[in-house]
Amino acid sequence: MPRRLGELEDAVMTRVWQWNRPVTVREVLEDLQQERSIAYTTVMTVLDNLHQKGWVRREAEGRAYRYEAVSTRAAYSAALMNEAWSVSDNPAAALVAFFGMMSQEQRQALRDAMRVVQAVGPEEVSEPGAGPPESER
């Protein structure tokens, strides 16, 4: 199970996931600065930490790096949901409570997802690399 991302880690990863391409510290910094005051070195440290934890890979470009997500936000979210469900002492009750919290749109998305899984099988739907390496989970 991946460790839940911290608030700033999530803000950085959100950009990396949304842009779905290798990004620089400067690009992430400029986007984050539209919402908050933040230093270049802070963003650089967060991306380095995310690299150390296995969330992003990086490739040198001159004196800087370009960072790219190792997995998708969907895989991260699925891993968090799976962990929360698996630690319940009553998984069926946990699912019923979870479904009760869902909006109509979310319940429709669940029905759609179940149809996909039933049509092709769960092994063809699951996404490899749902977070950091096993050693970091």
Side-chain angles (χ1 to χ4, degrees):
M1 160 66 189
R3 180 186 62 80
R4 186 175 184 90
L5 295 170
E7 187 266 332
L8 188 52
E9 290 174 328
D10 186 70
V12 169
M13 282 305 300
T14 294
R15 273 99 183 143
V16 175
W17 281 320
Q18 285 176 339
W19 295 335
N20 196 28
R21 61 172 173 76
V23 299
T24 64
V25 171
R26 176 77 48 205
E27 290 174 310
V28 175
L29 171 72
E30 289 173 359
D31 199 59
L32 284 171
Q33 284 179 330
Q34 295 177 28
E35 299 173 1
R36 65 177 84 199
S37 176
I38 190 166
Y40 181 92
T41 53
T42 301
V43 176
M44 183 174 62
T45 299
V46 170
L47 278 163
D48 185 60
N49 290 342
L50 289 166
H51 176 256
Q52 299 286 331
K53 294 175 181 180
W55 287 103
V56 294
R57 66 178 67 87
R58 68 184 179 193
E59 197 168 307
E61 184 176 278
R63 294 175 21 145
Y65 288 107
R66 284 204 172 266
Y67 295 86
E68 184 174 20
V70 169
S71 186
T72 65
R73 180 177 279 287
Y76 167 67
S77 297
L80 290 178
M81 289 186 289
N82 185 58
E83 173 67 11
W85 180 63
S86 68
V87 298
S88 173
D89 61 347
N90 188 339
L95 283 174
V96 169
F98 179 65
F99 296 156
M101 294 178 199
M102 296 174 103
S103 68
Q104 184 61 36
E105 293 80 19
Q106 290 169 321
R107 284 192 294 276
Q108 184 59 51
L110 177 63
R111 284 190 285 278
D112 295 344
M114 288 300 299
R115 278 193 287 280
V116 169
V117 171
Q118 290 167 347
V120 299
E123 62 282 347
E124 296 179 47
V125 175
S126 41
E127 204 172 312
E134 201 60 38
S135 62
E136 294 292 321
R137 294 181 185 175

